Amino acid sequence: QKTSFHRPQTLDFKNGYAFSRLPREGVGGDTLFANQLSQDELDDLCTKGATLTYGQVKRSAPSRFTPAFVAYDKKVLKFDAYFMEEVPISAEEHYRIRQVGLYYYLEDDSMCIIEPKVKNSGLLQGKLMRRHRVPKNEHGDYYHWKDLNLGINLTIYGRTYRLVNCDSFTKVFLESQGIVVNPPEELITDPYTEKHRTPAPKRIVPAGPDPFRQFLAYDTKVLRFYAIWDDTNCDFGDHHPCIIHYFLADDTVEVREVHKRNDGRDPFPVLMRRQRLPKIFVDKNKNFPSCVLEITDHEVQEWYSPKDFAIGKTVTLLGRTFLIYDCDKFTQDFYREKYGITDFQPLDVNKKPLEKVPQIIPPYNGFGIPEDSLQNCLSLFPKPPRKDIIKMLENNLKVLRYQVALESPVPEDKNRRFILSYFLSDDTIGIYEPPVRNSGILGGKYLKRTKVTKPGSTPENPIYYEPSDFTIGSTIEVFGHRFIITDADEYVLNYLERNAESFPAATVQSIRDHFLPRKVVVETTSSGIPRKDLDDLIVEVQKELKLQEPFNTRQFHEAFHHFDKEGSGFLDKTRFLNICDRFNVPTSTILLKKVRWKGCCACG
């Protein structure tokens, strides 16, 4: 009653490649049961042919063919061999034994022979026969791996090779093919080579010291000591690091000075040339001129030897004293073997760092600003103090101007007026005195532009004047001179109001109170009387004054300033009439009606 007989899918694609897989279900979608056979039983079923009780037996499929160049790829049989070569032109040898390696390549049955190269042998060694199939006889046969075994002679191109040994792969391969491998033989060496390898008999060494033997035994062997030359007894002396070389070949000594970069000394590495150095001299006549003659063995009782040098010792070489503090590893091994010394602890010769003496800044001498004078104490070539470039760019051409009066007991200085300029770009102050004719004072620049410190500040921590210190009526002390601020520029008020958050409220309010009366005058003039009527009034008053007797205008103005003690620029009616009567100025009723009783003193 089964109606579905479709076969399951066994072909599929994975990552773009086609492959076959086992079916997941049977024919018609039937369930496949898990395999209950072991792996050995499955292998037997794959290899065992079906047994039929009747009919003709079907032959099994032939095994898959594998070519020889694939099966034996990179498989080589290696034999150790030698051959005997005649030497007809030498009296010392009649033949020589040359050891070679014979290689048989299974993939194509080819052979090659290679002789290891020996340095300075004088023979052409290396590949003696290139790789190819080697003919066996004249009938066209070639050597096969079945013809190779140990302990046989192999004749190739007229030269007989004796195979004596092989590697493990070769032995296993031959035995797997049913060939009985002969036991290996010893590789014969060349008699001429063995003869020259025999050490030469040692000659009898004489009992006394032999300089030539010492040279041969200790040539290129040098003891190296690290020392310090103390030269502090001389003028400008110092501790010089040096290296002492003791040459064991001829017992000579050389001293080299170790130079460092920028040490201020001439770059001469050799302090003492290589020579034998005397240790103890023979007593001789004091008048003997030995300073101009070479030292001979008759004048020296003892020369310096390796036993005179050790770590911690002080040696005097040609009048110079050296303290040995270390040596190299070869020197340590030499003293350990010959003298039995085991202590090679180096000495600490490093200078202790000097205590840093605190720098004492001298008191300020009053010339220039403290920062500029301080640079002379910090370096030999003073540099200008660093400036705040951002502040200079932001406050360029911004100047606060104040009118100041000199506070002095001298009567001539009471009426002197100065212009104090505060430069916001670098916090400097300059004072200028406007020239006044017939005053007896030249005027001009009173103080060059510079920073001014407040009273009580120290040169180590100077405190300079700031815009917040300048208020109307405040006293400014400049290098022993006291100035009282009496007036300010209108730009000062505008600047302080724009930057009110950066200044104290008392400073801003002081400037505002000072400028308040001027604002009232400006408002009165601009709102009450037209400009043309005010000019006509001034002309009319001037005509009336010209009709009177001449009077001193300067004294007239000084009287107004004297009664204006607050400096507001205003006078009341009573004081104004008293001043006019004092100087015989007519006070016409018509003019008085036109002139306001609280007029400006400049208009009066």
Side-chain angles (χ1 to χ4, degrees):
Q1 297 179 0
K2 188 174 182 178
T3 58
S4 178
F5 299 96
H6 63 274
R7 301 181 62 184
Q9 179 70 23
T10 59
L11 301 179
D12 200 353
F13 282 90
K14 185 176 183 180
N15 295 334
Y17 294 93
F19 70 98
S20 60
R21 58 177 174 81
L22 296 176
R24 297 187 178 90
E25 56 185 12
V27 178
D30 294 343
T31 303
L32 290 179
F33 297 98
N35 189 9
Q36 302 296 331
L37 299 178
S38 64
Q39 185 65 32
D40 296 337
E41 293 174 346
L42 292 175
D43 294 340
D44 293 340
L45 292 176
C46 293
T47 57
K48 186 176 181 180
T51 303
L52 301 178
T53 57
Y54 61 92
Q56 186 177 3
V57 178
K58 295 183 180 179
R59 295 181 179 180
S60 60
S63 60
R64 187 175 181 181
F65 173 72
T66 303
F69 65 87
V70 176
Y72 298 116
D73 183 30
K74 298 181 181 180
K75 294 183 179 181
V76 183
L77 305 181
K78 195 261 182 180
F79 295 90
D80 295 333
Y82 68 90
F83 68 92
M84 185 182 299
E85 183 182 22
E86 295 182 357
V87 184
I89 59 175
S90 177
E92 297 184 0
E93 56 177 346
H94 302 286
Y95 68 92
R96 64 172 62 99
I97 301 298
R98 301 179 64 175
Q99 301 175 1
V100 298
L102 189 146
Y103 299 88
Y104 186 94
Y105 298 88
L106 296 174
E107 57 180 342
D108 56 355
D109 298 327
S110 60
M111 298 171 60
C112 74
I113 299 175
I114 298 176
E115 181 182 7
K117 291 185 178 182
V118 179
K119 191 176 182 180
N120 298 327
S121 65
L123 303 176
L124 295 176
Q125 297 174 327
K127 185 175 287 188
L128 301 182
M129 185 183 72
R130 65 177 179 83
R131 177 181 172 182
H132 66 288
R133 295 187 68 186
V134 180
K136 181 179 180 181
N137 49 37
E138 298 178 352
H139 303 288
D141 298 333
Y142 294 94
Y143 276 110
H144 195 261
W145 53 265
K146 297 179 181 179
D147 301 326
L148 304 179
N149 204 336
L150 301 183
I152 65 173
N153 293 327
L154 195 66
T155 303
I156 300 176
Y157 295 122
R159 180 177 289 174
T160 302
Y161 297 90
R162 181 72 176 179
L163 306 183
V164 296
N165 203 350
C166 65
D167 57 1
S168 59
F169 171 77
T170 304
K171 184 177 180 180
V172 171
F173 177 79
L174 295 177
E175 291 178 350
S176 65
Q177 299 299 326
I179 298 177
V180 179
V181 180
N182 299 329
E185 301 177 358
E186 292 185 359
L187 191 63
I188 301 178
T189 58
D190 184 26
Y192 179 80
T193 304
E194 291 294 325
K195 178 182 177 182
H196 285 272
R197 285 181 181 176
T198 305
K202 297 182 179 179
R203 67 185 184 89
I204 300 176
V205 181
D210 187 1
F212 184 70
R213 177 177 176 273
Q214 180 182 357
F215 173 78
L216 294 179
Y218 294 108
D219 187 27
T220 69
K221 295 182 180 180
V222 183
L223 304 180
R224 176 180 293 181
F225 301 93
Y226 301 97
I228 291 293
W229 171 31
D230 189 0
D231 191 30
T232 55
N233 294 331
C234 301
D235 295 337
F236 309 105
D238 197 1
H239 293 85
H240 304 264
C242 300
I243 296 178
I244 301 176
H245 290 153
Y246 189 94
F247 298 87
L248 296 173
D250 53 358
D251 295 327
T252 55
V253 180
E254 178 191 56
V255 180
R256 288 178 170 267
E257 186 176 0
V258 179
H259 291 279
K260 297 181 181 179
R261 189 174 184 181
N262 298 328
D263 59 357
R265 300 186 180 93
D266 295 333
F268 294 104
V270 179
L271 183 64
M272 296 183 188
R273 66 176 179 85
R274 181 177 175 180
Q275 57 183 315
R276 293 186 69 186
L277 296 179
K279 182 180 178 181
I280 301 175
F281 287 93
V282 178
D283 295 337
K284 56 186 176 180
N285 190 4
K286 296 181 179 180
N287 297 328
F288 186 76
S290 60
C291 62
V292 295
L293 298 177
E294 295 182 358
I295 300 174
T296 61
D297 295 339
H298 302 286
E299 303 173 30
V300 180
Q301 183 178 352
E302 183 180 356
W303 300 87
Y304 273 104
S305 60
K307 63 181 180 180
D308 300 321
F309 298 89
I311 296 177
K313 280 189 176 182
T314 301
V315 294
T316 303
L317 307 178
L318 300 182
R320 294 179 174 89
T321 303
F322 297 88
L323 173 63
I324 301 175
Y325 65 90
D326 199 3
C327 60
D328 61 354
K329 187 177 184 304
F330 172 77
T331 306
Q332 296 177 7
D333 297 339
F334 176 81
Y335 278 87
R336 188 181 294 106
E337 294 175 2
K338 189 169 184 178
Y339 298 101
I341 300 176
T342 58
D343 185 12
F344 299 99
Q345 184 67 26
L347 302 180
D348 186 10
V349 295
N350 296 327
K351 295 182 180 180
K352 295 182 179 179
L354 300 177
E355 295 182 0
K356 189 174 181 181
V357 179
Q359 186 178 10
I360 300 176
I361 305 299
Y364 177 55
N365 55 7
F367 293 96
I369 59 177
E371 289 83 356
D372 195 7
S373 301
L374 182 62
Q375 299 299 322
N376 295 277
C377 304
L378 301 180
S379 62
L380 185 61
F381 299 98
K383 297 181 181 180
R386 301 185 63 178
K387 299 180 180 179
D388 191 351
I389 305 299
I390 304 299
K391 183 178 180 180
M392 293 178 63
L393 295 176
E394 291 179 351
N395 300 306
N396 188 25
L397 302 179
K398 294 182 180 180
V399 183
L400 305 181
R401 293 179 177 86
Y402 302 87
Q403 182 180 355
V404 295
L406 181 60
E407 184 180 303
S408 173
V410 181
E412 290 78 4
D413 295 338
K414 291 184 178 180
N415 296 327
R416 296 176 66 180
R417 295 296 180 266
F418 301 88
I419 303 299
L420 186 146
S421 301
Y422 187 91
F423 298 87
L424 296 172
S425 59
D426 54 357
D427 299 331
T428 56
I429 294 176
I431 300 178
Y432 175 78
E433 182 179 7
V436 179
R437 295 183 62 183
N438 299 325
S439 63
I441 300 174
L442 294 177
K445 184 181 292 186
Y446 185 82
L447 175 67
K448 182 182 174 182
R449 180 176 173 180
T450 183
K451 286 187 176 182
V452 180
T453 58
K454 293 182 180 180
S457 61
T458 60
E460 294 79 12
N461 187 18
I463 303 175
Y464 298 101
Y465 277 108
E466 299 178 354
S468 59
D469 300 323
F470 299 100
T471 58
I472 301 300
S474 62
T475 302
I476 306 299
E477 185 174 344
V478 180
F479 302 115
H481 299 274
R482 298 171 62 88
F483 295 90
I484 301 176
I485 300 178
T486 60
D487 197 0
D489 194 358
E490 190 174 355
Y491 176 77
V492 177
L493 178 61
N494 297 334
Y495 179 79
L496 295 180
E497 289 180 346
R498 286 197 304 268
N499 304 277
E501 67 279 356
S502 302
F503 300 99
T507 303
V508 181
Q509 189 63 34
S510 174
I511 303 299
R512 285 176 180 171
D513 295 342
H514 179 70
F515 279 91
L516 183 60
R518 299 185 185 181
K519 291 185 178 181
V520 174
V521 174
V522 172
E523 293 175 358
T524 305
T525 306
S526 59
S527 60
I529 303 175
R531 182 66 180 175
K532 185 175 182 306
D533 295 344
L534 185 60
D535 293 340
D536 295 340
L537 180 60
I538 293 173
V539 172
E540 188 176 352
V541 172
Q542 291 177 352
K543 288 181 180 181
E544 292 291 336
L545 291 176
K546 288 181 181 180
L547 296 176
Q548 305 297 325
E549 295 180 0
F551 63 96
N552 193 339
T553 308
R554 180 180 177 183
Q555 296 180 358
F556 185 70
H557 283 281
E558 290 179 357
F560 274 96
H561 286 290
H562 176 72
F563 287 101
D564 186 14
K565 295 181 179 181
E566 298 178 356
S568 61
F570 292 88
L571 292 177
D572 56 6
K573 179 180 178 181
T574 306
R575 291 184 179 181
F576 176 74
L577 294 177
N578 292 334
I579 294 174
C580 292
D581 293 340
R582 182 179 178 183
F583 288 92
N584 299 323
V585 177
T587 55
S588 175
T589 306
I590 301 175
L591 292 177
L592 290 177
K593 290 181 179 180
K594 295 181 179 180
V595 179
R596 296 179 181 269
W597 299 114
K598 292 185 178 181
C600 179
C601 63
C603 296

mmCIF file of all heavy atoms in Angstrom, residues 416 432-437 439-445:
data_model
loop_
_atom_site.group_PDB
_atom_site.id
_atom_site.type_symbol
_atom_site.label_atom_id
_atom_site.label_comp_id
_atom_site.label_asym_id
_atom_site.label_seq_id
_atom_site.Cartn_x
_atom_site.Cartn_y
_atom_site.Cartn_z
ATOM 1 N N ARG A 416 50.991 123.515 41.635
ATOM 2 C CA ARG A 416 51.433 122.670 40.505
ATOM 3 C C ARG A 416 50.399 121.569 40.277
ATOM 4 O O ARG A 416 49.927 120.924 41.209
ATOM 5 C CB ARG A 416 52.801 122.070 40.804
ATOM 6 C CG ARG A 416 53.904 123.116 40.929
ATOM 7 C CD ARG A 416 55.234 122.475 41.316
ATOM 8 N NE ARG A 416 55.732 121.609 40.255
ATOM 9 C CZ ARG A 416 56.893 120.923 40.342
ATOM 10 N NH1 ARG A 416 57.618 121.031 41.464
ATOM 11 N NH2 ARG A 416 57.297 120.189 39.358
ATOM 12 N N TYR A 432 52.975 113.518 33.904
ATOM 13 C CA TYR A 432 53.355 114.634 33.031
ATOM 14 C C TYR A 432 52.863 115.942 33.674
ATOM 15 O O TYR A 432 51.729 116.006 34.167
ATOM 16 C CB TYR A 432 52.745 114.457 31.646
ATOM 17 C CG TYR A 432 52.993 115.618 30.701
ATOM 18 C CD1 TYR A 432 54.210 115.780 30.062
ATOM 19 C CD2 TYR A 432 51.984 116.557 30.466
ATOM 20 C CE1 TYR A 432 54.429 116.845 29.200
ATOM 21 C CE2 TYR A 432 52.200 117.620 29.604
ATOM 22 C CZ TYR A 432 53.429 117.767 28.975
ATOM 23 O OH TYR A 432 53.650 118.815 28.134
ATOM 24 N N GLU A 433 53.717 116.931 33.663
ATOM 25 C CA GLU A 433 53.357 118.237 34.214
ATOM 26 C C GLU A 433 53.185 119.233 33.065
ATOM 27 O O GLU A 433 54.163 119.512 32.348
ATOM 28 C CB GLU A 433 54.438 118.734 35.168
ATOM 29 C CG GLU A 433 54.074 120.076 35.814
ATOM 30 C CD GLU A 433 55.142 120.563 36.782
ATOM 31 O OE1 GLU A 433 56.220 119.922 36.833
ATOM 32 O OE2 GLU A 433 54.902 121.577 37.465
ATOM 33 N N PRO A 434 51.959 119.736 32.837
ATOM 34 C CA PRO A 434 51.764 120.709 31.751
ATOM 35 C C PRO A 434 52.560 121.994 32.052
ATOM 36 O O PRO A 434 52.546 122.503 33.175
ATOM 37 C CB PRO A 434 50.249 120.964 31.763
ATOM 38 C CG PRO A 434 49.673 119.806 32.506
ATOM 39 C CD PRO A 434 50.688 119.382 33.488
ATOM 40 N N PRO A 435 53.274 122.513 31.071
ATOM 41 C CA PRO A 435 54.042 123.747 31.304
ATOM 42 C C PRO A 435 53.113 124.952 31.555
ATOM 43 O O PRO A 435 52.066 125.100 30.917
ATOM 44 C CB PRO A 435 54.840 123.924 30.011
ATOM 45 C CG PRO A 435 54.757 122.629 29.298
ATOM 46 C CD PRO A 435 53.506 121.966 29.728
ATOM 47 N N VAL A 436 53.489 125.798 32.507
ATOM 48 C CA VAL A 436 52.755 127.032 32.839
ATOM 49 C C VAL A 436 53.715 128.214 32.643
ATOM 50 O O VAL A 436 54.818 128.217 33.203
ATOM 51 C CB VAL A 436 52.223 126.986 34.292
ATOM 52 C CG1 VAL A 436 51.489 128.284 34.619
ATOM 53 C CG2 VAL A 436 51.310 125.779 34.483
ATOM 54 N N ARG A 437 53.277 129.153 31.861
ATOM 55 C CA ARG A 437 54.147 130.293 31.564
ATOM 56 C C ARG A 437 54.395 131.138 32.821
ATOM 57 O O ARG A 437 53.504 131.352 33.644
ATOM 58 C CB ARG A 437 53.511 131.168 30.483
ATOM 59 C CG ARG A 437 53.389 130.458 29.119
ATOM 60 C CD ARG A 437 52.812 131.393 28.080
ATOM 61 N NE ARG A 437 53.687 132.535 27.875
ATOM 62 C CZ ARG A 437 53.434 133.566 27.060
ATOM 63 N NH1 ARG A 437 52.287 133.575 26.385
ATOM 64 N NH2 ARG A 437 54.289 134.556 26.933
ATOM 65 N N SER A 439 55.905 130.539 35.440
ATOM 66 C CA SER A 439 55.791 129.881 36.743
ATOM 67 C C SER A 439 57.157 129.542 37.344
ATOM 68 O O SER A 439 57.236 129.212 38.518
ATOM 69 C CB SER A 439 54.963 128.593 36.615
ATOM 70 O OG SER A 439 55.618 127.674 35.755
ATOM 71 N N GLY A 440 58.180 129.641 36.537
ATOM 72 C CA GLY A 440 59.513 129.279 37.013
ATOM 73 C C GLY A 440 59.785 127.784 36.988
ATOM 74 O O GLY A 440 60.851 127.345 37.434
ATOM 75 N N ILE A 441 58.852 126.963 36.495
ATOM 76 C CA ILE A 441 59.003 125.498 36.414
ATOM 77 C C ILE A 441 58.873 125.108 34.951
ATOM 78 O O ILE A 441 57.923 125.519 34.267
ATOM 79 C CB ILE A 441 57.952 124.779 37.265
ATOM 80 C CG1 ILE A 441 58.101 125.208 38.739
ATOM 81 C CG2 ILE A 441 58.086 123.269 37.142
ATOM 82 C CD1 ILE A 441 57.026 124.655 39.641
ATOM 83 N N LEU A 442 59.837 124.305 34.484
ATOM 84 C CA LEU A 442 59.837 123.949 33.063
ATOM 85 C C LEU A 442 58.647 123.077 32.687
ATOM 86 O O LEU A 442 58.074 123.228 31.613
ATOM 87 C CB LEU A 442 61.134 123.210 32.714
ATOM 88 C CG LEU A 442 62.425 124.038 32.829
ATOM 89 C CD1 LEU A 442 63.633 123.166 32.526
ATOM 90 C CD2 LEU A 442 62.375 125.218 31.870
ATOM 91 N N GLY A 443 58.261 122.141 33.549
ATOM 92 C CA GLY A 443 57.184 121.214 33.214
ATOM 93 C C GLY A 443 57.694 120.108 32.297
ATOM 94 O O GLY A 443 58.907 119.916 32.086
ATOM 95 N N GLY A 444 56.787 119.358 31.703
ATOM 96 C CA GLY A 444 57.141 118.244 30.829
ATOM 97 C C GLY A 444 57.010 116.911 31.544
ATOM 98 O O GLY A 444 56.216 116.751 32.483
ATOM 99 N N LYS A 445 57.813 115.944 31.127
ATOM 100 C CA LYS A 445 57.719 114.585 31.677
ATOM 101 C C LYS A 445 58.302 114.578 33.085
ATOM 102 O O LYS A 445 59.485 114.856 33.303
ATOM 103 C CB LYS A 445 58.470 113.592 30.802
ATOM 104 C CG LYS A 445 58.325 112.137 31.254
ATOM 105 C CD LYS A 445 59.114 111.198 30.376
ATOM 106 C CE LYS A 445 58.497 111.137 28.988
ATOM 107 N NZ LYS A 445 59.173 110.104 28.172
#
